[in-house]
Amino acid sequence: MPPAANTHESGEPLERAQRDVVALGIAIAALILFVGIGGRVMPQILRSWLGMQQPPDMLLTNALLLNVALLIFGWRRYEELRREVGVRRIAEEKARALAESDPLTGCRNRRGITPAIDEMLRVAHEQQQEVALLLIDLDNFKTINDRCGHKAGDAVLVETAMRIERLLPADGICARMGGDEFACAFTFDEGDRARADRLAADIVGAISTPVTVADLTIDVTVSVGLAASRQPGNGNSQPDAEMLIHWSDIAMYHAKKSGRDRHAWFEPQMESEIRFRNALESGLRRGIGAGEFVPYYQQQIDIQTGKLVGFEMLARWKSPEFGIVSPDMFIPLAEDLGVIDKLSESLIRAALEDAKGWNPELTLAVNISPLQLRDPWFAQKLLRLLTECGFPPQRFEIEITESCLHENIAVVRSILTSLKNQGVKVSLDDFGTGFSSLAQLRALPFDRLKIDRSFVTELANEGANSELVAAIVALGRGLGLPIVAEGIENDEALAALRKLGDIKGQGFLYGKPEDAEATLERLMAQAAREISPANHSLPESKRAAG
């Protein structure tokens, strides 16, 4: 049926055109006949009316009347065609306007602004001017939609478009590129980039004014990327609209990476940074499936006895293209790409399989991304993973940062409570660097606090950090929460921590993180030392210290 329908649709204009040609041919033939027959018959009819001769031949008279009818038919058909062409022209203009404009904000869309920018570039090049393109992206717009509703989000977009257009110069054009992204372009004199800077700053300031929707007051910020049609080193080469949009998009991403709520100019080196990031993204997606992400393990030690009590799992990316990549680089990237769940699950599964071969007294701790705690089913997924791997929940511990406490606190409390009810322990990581309150520490089911490494590494200086660490230890003791100190890198820091009481520690002083094979070798060597005859003669505390 579809092919038949397509044939009918494509054949209809052809049939109509054929009918129009026939009608035109009939009208022309009728006109020729009218001239030929009318020139002969009309004088005879006129003289017959004056009584000067007999009426003309009836056949010729009928032929003349037929010619008149054909002429009338041709004229009417011409008028119909003229009206139809007019209606179609109006409909096409309306369809073009709809196709090139955004129905929500009323400004142009991407399809409409691209040819307009190309024309602006052509005129500016002839007049020795430059074109500036600003790409404007609302920061965290998804959060506005989620918290305030899509109706409020639409109102923010409309208000944003109005504020941008009010600030644009007379020759400026504005478009909604899609979602929460806008673009505007205007011309300026060569070398006068300060004008574009001022406009970008004005737009950032204007949009940051809160938007009131019904009884809601919504705070909005934007990141703006700027690009000029003349780039240093490009000579007189002229970019097209797509290239200008591409450059400003790179600059906008740079503005977001620099802290949002600001603007940034495109610079050529930014493009190589984007290429590197794109290569990292492709490698990351490919590497998860290829098993390139592996767990490393850092020892956790009882600093009073020196006894090994467990390990913290740290992720490493063994990339054939980039080498060993640290988590500081690929974890934020995985969060941005939305693959942190998949990456974390593969690492935890591998770590659980490794830890099953360790001494059953040793614990395994893993870091959890704040994004994972937005999933209300996270606890069930983690417990299912423990069950599938046959790993005791009592040996497992998750570490979350203080930033998690500023998410949906009810969801976080539900997740942590479900995990703790099954025996999983929960640590508050990097304590002291965020804004957690005593009420949150009492309300959430934490099992221990981890002091951030930035405080521990300077303990040997006996400065303010030593007092702060002592205060954290005292706070943990008062709340019944054991303490783990990160970043122990020298004997002075270790000695200072030992004065504070029963604390667990980890850091380079005890060795660098190792892969599964090296960790297993370490444990086997330690076990051999513990059962050696010479070791049995040592005091128990020294045997534990190895």
Side-chain angles (χ1 to χ4, degrees):
M1 288 303 296
N6 290 337
T7 302
H8 174 73
E9 291 173 2
S10 60
E12 186 177 345
L14 179 61
E15 294 173 2
R16 185 165 54 248
Q18 290 172 345
R19 290 196 302 269
D20 295 342
V21 170
V22 171
L24 181 61
I26 292 173
I28 293 173
L31 181 61
I32 294 172
L33 287 172
F34 179 79
V35 172
I37 298 174
R40 179 180 177 185
V41 175
M42 289 299 294
Q44 295 179 13
I45 293 175
L46 183 60
R47 285 195 292 269
S48 172
W49 285 350
L50 295 174
M52 298 174 61
Q53 72 175 49
Q54 295 294 322
D57 183 70
M58 185 59 66
L59 183 61
L60 291 176
T61 303
N62 290 338
L64 180 62
L65 293 175
L66 178 60
N67 284 338
V68 173
L70 289 175
L71 284 173
I72 294 173
F73 167 77
W75 177 257
R76 289 186 60 187
R77 182 58 185 160
Y78 168 75
E79 284 295 313
E80 289 175 0
L81 287 174
R82 189 175 64 83
R83 286 195 298 269
E84 184 176 351
V85 169
V87 170
R88 285 188 181 181
R89 184 178 294 112
I90 294 172
E92 287 174 359
E93 291 175 355
K94 185 176 181 180
R96 187 183 303 110
L98 289 173
E100 295 181 353
S101 64
D102 175 54
L104 177 64
T105 61
C107 55
R108 302 172 193 247
N109 58 15
R110 187 185 186 101
R111 185 175 184 177
I113 198 174
T114 303
I117 294 174
D118 281 327
E119 177 62 18
M120 183 179 286
L121 286 166
R122 184 189 65 79
V123 174
H125 184 68
E126 293 175 352
Q127 298 179 355
Q128 298 296 310
Q129 289 183 312
E130 291 188 61
V131 174
L133 180 68
L134 284 70
L135 200 65
I136 304 160
D137 188 83
L138 274 67
D139 299 325
N140 301 316
F141 183 70
K142 184 179 183 300
T143 304
I144 295 175
N145 272 337
D146 292 343
R147 293 180 178 176
C148 306
H150 288 274
K151 186 175 181 180
D154 288 347
V156 169
L157 293 174
V158 171
E159 180 64 23
T160 299
M162 292 173 60
R163 293 179 183 182
I164 293 172
E165 290 183 326
R166 280 198 295 264
L167 291 170
L168 280 179
D171 67 336
I173 53 177
C174 178
R176 181 186 174 200
M177 305 295 280
D180 60 341
E181 195 172 75
F182 294 84
C184 56
F186 64 96
T187 58
F188 63 96
D189 294 333
E190 287 186 14
D192 188 18
R193 293 198 175 189
R195 183 186 178 197
D197 264 319
R198 288 193 298 271
L199 180 60
D202 289 345
I203 288 176
V204 170
I207 297 176
S208 65
T209 303
V211 179
T212 301
V213 182
D215 57 343
L216 296 174
T217 300
I218 302 173
D219 293 315
V220 184
T221 62
V222 291
S223 299
V224 180
L226 294 90
S229 54
R230 295 195 178 183
Q231 291 295 323
N234 277 10
N236 291 325
S237 61
Q238 182 83 354
D240 60 7
E242 289 297 337
M243 181 58 70
L244 207 56
I245 292 171
H246 173 66
W247 288 345
S248 57
D249 188 46
I250 292 174
M252 184 269 292
Y253 170 76
H254 184 80
K256 281 190 176 293
K257 191 172 66 171
S258 301
R260 306 175 190 269
D261 194 22
R262 65 194 64 208
H263 70 274
W265 278 97
F266 168 77
E267 297 177 3
Q269 63 267 26
M270 291 180 183
E271 195 155 19
S272 38
E273 293 177 7
I274 290 294
R275 289 197 190 100
F276 179 66
R277 178 184 169 88
N278 290 339
L280 277 178
E281 290 180 1
S282 299
L284 189 147
R285 293 183 185 276
R286 182 181 62 252
I288 293 176
E292 296 174 6
F293 293 88
V294 295
Y296 271 51
Y297 303 98
Q298 185 173 44
Q299 300 177 76
Q300 293 183 329
I301 305 294
D302 184 327
I303 65 172
Q304 296 296 339
T305 65
K307 180 180 179 181
L308 176 66
V309 294
F311 291 93
E312 179 183 356
M313 187 270 285
L314 305 173
R316 294 292 184 270
W317 180 10
K318 291 185 175 181
S319 169
E321 183 177 0
F322 306 106
I324 301 294
V325 183
S326 72
D328 292 341
M329 180 173 291
F330 67 79
I331 292 296
L333 188 60
E335 291 176 337
D336 290 344
L337 295 177
V339 296
I340 188 65
D341 290 340
K342 187 176 181 181
L343 174 60
S344 180
E345 181 179 346
S346 66
L347 286 167
I348 293 175
R349 185 181 295 275
L352 293 176
E353 293 296 334
D354 292 339
K356 285 197 300 185
W358 303 343
N359 186 314
E361 294 182 358
L362 297 177
T363 60
L364 173 66
V366 300
N367 291 284
I368 301 300
S369 166
L371 297 183
Q372 292 176 270
L373 291 181
R374 295 178 182 176
D375 181 5
W377 297 99
F378 172 73
Q380 287 75 9
K381 292 177 181 177
L382 187 58
L383 292 172
R384 185 181 68 246
L385 191 58
L386 290 169
T387 302
E388 291 174 356
C389 295
F391 194 83
Q394 292 74 17
R395 291 181 57 196
F396 192 71
E397 181 176 321
I398 66 168
E399 299 180 0
I400 67 173
T401 60
E402 289 182 272
S403 59
C404 297
L405 306 184
H406 305 293
E407 301 290 334
N408 189 332
I409 193 67
V411 173
V412 173
R413 182 186 294 110
S414 174
I415 290 172
L416 300 186
T417 301
S418 296
L419 292 172
K420 186 161 184 178
N421 288 342
Q422 298 300 318
V424 176
K425 293 182 174 59
V426 182
S427 293
L428 182 57
D429 197 10
D430 298 337
F431 184 73
T433 60
F435 303 97
S436 55
S437 65
L438 290 177
Q440 289 171 324
L441 291 179
R442 293 179 62 87
L444 295 173
F446 292 114
D447 293 284
R448 68 182 78 250
L449 301 178
K450 295 192 73 173
I451 306 175
D452 184 70
R453 67 179 63 250
S454 61
F455 303 130
V456 175
T457 52
E458 298 182 10
L459 272 178
N461 298 333
E462 294 295 334
N465 278 351
S466 61
E467 298 176 1
L468 179 58
V469 171
I472 294 174
V473 172
L475 175 63
R477 188 175 294 117
L479 295 173
L481 298 176
I483 300 295
V484 178
E486 297 180 295
I488 303 177
E489 298 180 355
N490 51 61
D491 292 326
E492 290 78 10
L494 177 60
L497 287 170
R498 279 178 172 165
K499 296 177 182 178
L500 299 177
D502 188 13
I503 297 176
K504 292 180 182 178
Q506 61 187 82
F508 288 170
L509 181 64
Y510 298 108
K512 294 184 177 181
E514 300 171 324
D515 62 16
E517 183 178 357
T519 300
L520 186 58
E521 290 177 358
R522 173 184 292 277
L523 293 175
M524 292 175 65
Q526 180 176 330
R529 288 195 303 269
E530 288 177 351
I531 63 175
S532 64
N535 200 40
H536 281 297
S537 64
L538 297 174
E540 184 178 351
S541 61
K542 292 186 178 181
R543 289 203 308 271

